[in-house]
Amino acid sequence: MAGTKIVQVVMGLTAEEVAALQNKICPEAGRLCLARYELLRAVHFAQPIGRRALADRLHLQERRVRRELSLLGQGELIRIGGLGVELTPEGEAALWKLEEYVRVLRGLSRWEKELCLCFGLREAIIVPGDSDADLAVKKELARVTAEYLRKHLKDGAILAVTGGTTLAEVAAALRPAEERRDLLVLPARGGLGEEVELQANTIAAAFAKGLGGTYRLLHVPDDLDPETLQRIAGEPRVKELVELIRRADLLLHGIGVAEEMARRRGMPPEAVAELLAKGAVGEAFGYYFDEDGRLVHTTSSVGIQEKDLPGIGLVVMVGGGRSKARAARAILKSGGRHVIITDEALARQLLGKEAAAPTTRAAEGGV
């Protein structure tokens, strides 16, 4: 995670113990800290941004945003110009340090360990917030995932990626690399009949640009009949590409809600109804799973398959928002995943945590 690790010990207490004590004695301080962190984060991902637009984005009254911006301005964390509000260099540095403090306040490191134990994962990374309620959380999720890729992809590696809105955000978070790297990026499966910007081919090309690598495309749509797909899969160039995909060092995929993905794939209403009758709640690269992680339906496609996962070095699932909780649980229960990068809201649902205490947005005198 970005920012400086909180390792300071106060009166013999760890940072986690200090945070727990603060939450008991002065919970309003933690809520205020969280609210101002959310405000700084929203400015970071939308700057320059006007105060009214910022208030709308955070679902707050404009007068409250104005008051908080005044306080942050006194601390030289923001500046307000003709185009709107921006973070100063001091504000940028404070934001990433504050992120670590918020993680401690919310107990996210402990939750990450619990997720690993619950679902047999090697690693879990949780960012504060709810992607469903705050666009800045989804962008932060993308930024953290981009950092993870830069850290774990070694020269000579093959990266396979799926399509979708979350991975499109991750691609956007990868600023164009200044140096070329020996990386190959491939689409994990054939394309859906959706916007070209969200198709795996487009996203693979964007990832390659951001990482400084090269890419190859898989020009096979998902909605062909099985006989046609089998014939295309037998073509030498397609067969060679599929073999490369199945040897990927890292597979990155999103979290698909079964009904939504079925409709995006153009399934007729009766087929969608049949799928849901089978109990499908989650989807990943054409495979549909029920609440217990059992495979209940597979779409015809060319590319990565569930049986290929044991041969892939690292399988990373990324996505957030409490609306994806059932889908995420189903996919995790199906096995084969090594890492999840998610947000606080989805993690809370996966772990069955109680509802979070309200932030200071709803508290007297808060943001």
Side-chain angles (χ1 to χ4, degrees):
M1 298 289 294
T4 304
K5 284 282 186 182
I6 298 176
V7 294
Q8 182 181 13
V9 176
V10 180
M11 297 177 61
L13 301 177
T14 65
E16 287 76 11
E17 289 169 334
V18 171
L21 191 60
Q22 176 186 296
N23 283 332
K24 288 183 178 180
I25 297 175
C26 191
E28 65 274 14
R31 292 196 294 268
L32 184 59
C33 180
L34 174 61
R36 288 181 178 163
Y37 162 73
E38 291 175 347
L39 192 152
L40 289 171
R41 181 174 61 183
V43 172
H44 168 77
F45 285 114
Q47 61 188 333
I49 181 172
R51 283 176 296 205
R52 180 173 298 177
L54 184 59
D56 290 343
R57 186 176 285 251
L58 292 170
H59 310 293
L60 302 173
Q61 293 180 340
E62 189 176 350
R63 62 180 177 82
R64 289 191 172 183
V65 170
R66 188 182 301 112
R67 183 180 63 210
E68 293 300 320
L69 290 177
S70 176
L71 290 170
L72 294 172
Q74 292 173 24
E76 299 183 344
L77 300 180
I78 64 156
R79 57 173 170 261
I80 302 176
L83 297 177
V85 185
E86 295 180 282
L87 296 188
T88 63
E90 293 84 355
E92 292 281 354
L95 172 62
W96 306 129
K97 291 177 182 178
L98 188 57
E99 179 182 56
E100 290 294 338
Y101 181 55
V102 169
R103 283 175 51 78
V104 172
L105 282 176
R106 309 298 282 175
L108 299 188
S109 294
R110 184 177 69 254
W111 290 15
E112 289 167 349
K113 294 175 183 177
E114 290 181 31
L115 280 176
C116 289
L117 288 174
C118 284
F119 297 103
L121 301 169
R122 297 181 193 172
E123 188 174 3
I125 300 173
I126 304 171
V127 303
D130 182 353
S131 299
D132 288 345
D134 187 349
L135 179 60
V137 180
K138 191 167 188 176
K139 290 186 177 297
E140 173 65 359
L141 195 63
R143 184 191 68 82
V144 169
T145 304
E147 283 189 5
Y148 187 90
L149 292 177
R150 291 193 189 280
K151 178 181 177 182
H152 287 83
L153 286 171
K154 309 301 181 184
D155 285 346
I158 298 174
L159 168 65
V161 298
T162 60
T165 58
T166 300
L167 264 68
E169 286 283 1
V170 178
L174 286 165
R175 296 180 179 177
E178 296 180 359
E179 298 181 359
R180 303 296 299 174
R181 293 189 60 193
D182 181 19
L183 295 173
L184 177 60
V185 186
L186 304 171
R189 300 272 285 189
L192 296 178
E194 59 183 351
E195 304 97 311
V196 67
E197 294 84 0
L198 302 181
Q199 292 185 8
N201 277 335
T202 305
I203 290 174
F207 268 83
K209 182 178 180 180
L211 293 167
T214 58
Y215 64 90
R216 292 178 63 180
L217 304 181
L218 183 61
H219 297 293
V220 183
D222 258 2
D223 53 358
L224 297 178
D225 64 86
E227 184 178 341
T228 302
L229 277 175
Q230 186 175 5
R231 187 164 60 250
I232 293 175
E235 292 292 325
R237 292 184 64 181
V238 174
K239 190 174 182 179
E240 177 203 2
L241 184 56
V242 171
E243 287 302 314
L244 282 173
I245 294 170
R246 291 174 177 169
R247 298 207 311 268
D249 298 283
L250 193 154
L251 167 64
L252 181 68
H253 73 85
I255 301 169
V257 176
E259 183 174 2
E260 176 186 335
M261 293 304 300
R263 297 189 190 284
R264 281 173 56 186
R265 282 193 160 86
M267 284 189 184
E270 58 273 18
V272 174
E274 182 181 351
L275 181 67
L276 298 179
K278 293 179 180 178
V281 295
E283 184 273 350
F285 40 85
Y287 289 81
Y288 292 81
F289 305 95
D290 67 11
E291 295 271 12
D292 296 316
R294 292 187 295 259
L295 180 64
V296 296
H297 181 75
T298 305
T299 59
S300 299
S301 183
V302 174
I304 201 78
Q305 299 181 20
E306 275 287 311
K307 66 180 182 181
D308 300 323
L309 297 190
I312 294 175
L314 200 60
V315 181
V316 181
M317 185 171 86
V318 58
R322 59 186 296 129
S323 63
K324 290 192 174 182
R326 294 178 70 206
R329 184 180 290 108
I331 297 168
L332 289 172
K333 282 187 174 182
S334 73
R337 276 72 188 171
H338 305 127
V339 178
I340 183 172
I341 304 175
T342 189
D343 63 20
E344 180 182 357
L346 196 153
R348 183 180 295 280
Q349 294 295 309
L350 290 175
L351 294 172
K353 300 292 184 181
E354 294 180 1
T359 68
T360 46
R361 295 176 189 177
E364 181 67 27
V367 176

